[in-house]
């Protein structure tokens, strides 16, 4: 009788912890939701199976709440402007951006930062990974390990755990964890300044989100695709340069300035590419007909000076010296 009462009490406590995390999730408070879910997992995991029968079911519910909490960060409302969407994409991808006051819960705070004792946290998660058997638990642990390593700027380890989480989520068909870890994998690539790979991962996540029926998440992923290539020079062809020159000329106020700008661009085209700045930010022009060795050679406007005269000294041999080799 006493054992049954104890089991009922532990089940009530576990249900209360789940309800607390669910309440924070419904309020879209990601930080408090993750904190309460983590606390609930620790409390439930400590209970032996004899005192809390079916505790795996409670843990799976908490894993489900955490997965949806991370996924809800990628949901955007129709009323949200494009600038707010891009700002949210910058923040979630870990890219630098100026902070402005906002009513958006995601924009007010950064994504969950690593705890102060993140080394202990990583050690505990690695221990849990060796003992975990359920797919949902392994996805949660691997996702947390990847996220903590991303926040601590350890991109290689983060990619390792993210790929393992991706394989686990695909094998178990856990859609929320798969989308979350793909977004995290894109962050790993951006941390290593590997923008093409990040773009490819985000495009894959966009297709999966549409196939799962998450249209709002797919739209946000499309915004992230555009943001991920921010600052990258896509093309520096002659057509791009001509368009850039035309845009600069159109900015001039009167005809005299426009004619002067056109004359300046014509004069610039006569100068070797290695000796002039490019009007395309981040691009450097090079002449096709100039060899690489000549293009990289330092050129100066100072006239070449004459080399100093070399004096040939005649060798003087002592008396009686005979060179028999000649």
């Amino acid at each position: 009788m006493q054992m049954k009462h104890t089991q009922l009490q532990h089940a009530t406590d576990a249900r209360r912890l789940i309800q607390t995390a669910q309440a924070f999730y419904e309020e879209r408070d990601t930080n408090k939701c993750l904190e309460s879910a983590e606390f609930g997992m620790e409390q439930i995991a400590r209970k032996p199976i004899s005192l809390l029968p079916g505790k795996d079911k409670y843990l799976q519910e908490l894993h489900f709440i955490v997965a949806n909490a991370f996924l809800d960060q990628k949901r955007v409302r129709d009323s949200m402007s494009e600038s707010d969407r891009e700002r949210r994409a910058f923040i979630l991808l870990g890219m630098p951006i100026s902070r402005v006051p906002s009513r958006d819960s995601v924009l007010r705070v950064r994504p969950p930062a690593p705890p102060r004792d993140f080394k202990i946290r990583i050690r505990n998660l690695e221990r849990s990974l060796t003992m975990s058997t359920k797919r949902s638990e392994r996805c949660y642990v691997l996702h947390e390990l990847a996220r903590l390593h991303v926040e601590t700027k350890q991109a290689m380890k983060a990619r390792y755990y993210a790929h393992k989480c991706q394989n686990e989520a695909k094998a178990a068909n856990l859609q929320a964890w798969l989308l979350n870890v793909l977004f995290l994998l894109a962050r790993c690539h951006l941390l290593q300044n590997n923008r093409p790979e990040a773009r490819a991962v985000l495009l894959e996540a966009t297709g999966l989100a549409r196939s799962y029926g998450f249209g709002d998440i797919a739209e946000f992923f499309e915004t992230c695709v555009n943001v991920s290539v921010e600052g990258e020079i896509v093309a520096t062809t002659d057509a791009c340069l001509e368009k850039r020159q035309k845009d600069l000329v159109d900015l001039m106020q009167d005809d005299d300035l426009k004619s002067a700008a056109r004359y300046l661009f014509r004069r610039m085209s006569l100068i070797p590419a290695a000796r002039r700045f490019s009007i395309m930010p981040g691009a450097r022009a090079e002449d096709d007909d100039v060899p690489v060795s000549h293009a990289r050679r330092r050129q100066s406007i100072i006239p070449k000076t004459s080399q100093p005269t070399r004096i040939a000294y005649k060798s003087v041999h002592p008396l009686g010296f005979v060179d028999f080799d000649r």
Side-chain angles (χ1 to χ4, degrees), residues 167-182:
N167 296 333
E168 292 284 345
K170 283 184 178 180
N173 195 21
L174 299 175
Q175 301 175 359
W177 283 122
L178 182 57
L179 295 178
N180 287 328
V181 77
L182 285 176

Side-chain angles (χ1 to χ4, degrees), residues 20 155 220 280 286:
T20 303
F220 178 72
M280 295 291 290
E286 292 184 358

Side-chain angles (χ1 to χ4, degrees), residues 311-322:
I311 302 175
Y313 294 95
K314 186 177 180 180
S315 59
V316 179
H317 300 292
L319 295 177
F321 176 80
V322 179

Side-chain angles (χ1 to χ4, degrees), residues 268 272-280 283-285:
M268 287 174 59
R275 296 183 59 186
R276 69 172 185 262
F277 291 105
S278 175
I279 61 173
M280 295 291 290
R284 182 178 180 180

Side-chain angles (χ1 to χ4, degrees), residues 56 59-60 63-64 67 129 131-143 163-174 177-178:
D56 292 338
L59 291 175
Q60 287 182 3
H63 298 154
F64 181 76
L129 182 62
M131 298 184 295
S132 60
T133 56
K134 302 292 184 180
R135 294 282 190 180
S136 61
E137 183 180 2
R138 290 183 62 84
C139 286
Y140 165 75
V141 174
L142 290 170
H143 183 274
H163 281 298
K164 292 191 68 174
C165 182
Q166 182 182 4
N167 296 333
E168 292 284 345
K170 283 184 178 180
N173 195 21
L174 299 175
W177 283 122
L178 182 57

Side-chain angles (χ1 to χ4, degrees), residues 245-256:
Q245 291 178 2
K246 184 178 181 301
D247 293 339
L248 292 176
V249 170
D250 293 339
L251 292 176
M252 303 302 170
Q253 297 179 357
D254 52 11
D255 296 336
D256 294 337

